[in-house]
Amino acid sequence: MSDEATITTEAPHAATGLPYAAETLRTERLLLRPLNSGDLENGHEFERLKDVARYLYWEVHDHDESAEHLRKRIAMNRLAADGDGIVYAVELPDPEGGHSRVIGHVSLFLKKAEWAKFEMGWVFHPAVHGRGYATEATTRLLELCFDTLGGHRVFAQLDARNEASARLCEIIGMRQEALLRQTEIFKGEWSDTAVYAILEQDFRAGR
C-alpha cells in the first residue's frame, strides 16, 4: 500500500443555484442587502475619499458621480448568465433601534456558470477598519457562493500594493495563486496584480 497521501477532489459541476435574485443576508452583526436609492449619502461618504479610491478602478467621486455609480449598481441584483453581478450594501444596524449605517459594499460576479466560478470584491469606509466587519461580510459572501450557488472556485484580484485587502483574503481562507508583474497601467503607473482564490473543498475543510 502506498504511503503517498490520496488527494480527493470533487467531481466537476456547474453552478447549481442559478438564477439567483439578490436577497438580504445576515451575519452576527451585519446585514448584506441589495443597494437602493437611499444609499447615496452613506456611499458618497467613502467614495469621495482618496484612500478608498487608491486601489480601485474608479477615481474619487463627487456627489453626482456617486449618484450615477449607485444607479448602475442598483441594477446589479441578479446572477443568471456569465458576467452578471450583485452589489450588496453592508449595513451596520443600530443596536438601540436607531438609524442603520451603510459601512461598505461587497460584490459578487458570475464569471463562468459552467465552471461554477465567481469573483468577489469589496470596499469599506476607513472608519470601520480593524473591527472585523470586512471579514464577517466577505465570509458570508463565500457561504452564499458555496452553500447556495454551488460554487467551485471564488477568486479576487487586487493591486499587489493593497496590503489590507491581501490580509483580508488570507483571513477568509484564500491563497495567493499568482502575482502578475506590471500587468497593466493603473492610474498612470505600472501595477502588479495579485490573484487570490479559494476552492469549495478548501472552504469546507476550513469550517
Side-chain angles (χ1 to χ4, degrees), residues 70-139:
L70 176 62
R71 184 189 67 79
K72 293 178 180 178
R73 293 176 136 224
I74 287 174
M76 299 169 61
N77 58 18
R78 188 171 186 269
L79 301 176
D82 294 353
D84 287 351
I86 293 175
V87 181
Y88 291 94
V90 180
E91 186 175 291
L92 181 63
D94 185 334
E96 303 301 322
H99 181 65
S100 299
R101 183 163 62 110
V102 174
I103 59 173
H105 299 153
V106 291
S107 55
L108 184 64
F109 298 91
L110 176 60
K111 304 303 288 187
K112 188 76 171 179
E114 181 184 3
W115 300 341
K117 182 166 71 172
F118 297 85
E119 180 178 8
M120 63 190 296
W122 50 82
V123 57
F124 284 86
H125 197 301
V128 302
H129 287 181
R131 302 182 190 180
Y133 295 135
T135 299
E136 201 167 314
T138 51
T139 297

Side-chain angles (χ1 to χ4, degrees), residues 44-56 58-61 126 187:
H44 183 58
E45 273 189 26
F46 53 83
E47 290 178 0
R48 64 185 175 83
L49 301 177
K50 288 183 179 180
D51 287 347
V52 170
R54 175 67 182 93
Y55 298 119
L56 300 176
W58 40 266
E59 300 290 347
V60 169
H61 287 165
K187 297 187 176 180

Side-chain angles (χ1 to χ4, degrees), residues 23-25 31-36 38-39 87-91 102:
E23 56 188 12
T24 298
L25 308 174
L31 292 178
L32 279 61
R33 57 164 178 77
L35 292 168
N36 62 56
D39 292 326
V87 181
Y88 291 94
V90 180
E91 186 175 291
V102 174

Side-chain angles (χ1 to χ4, degrees), residues 152-173:
H152 171 69
R153 170 183 167 85
V154 181
F155 71 96
Q157 299 186 89
L158 48 133
D159 190 298
R161 296 166 295 184
N162 191 342
E163 295 179 357
S165 283
R167 285 196 302 272
L168 176 59
C169 287
E170 293 168 356
I171 289 170
I172 64 176

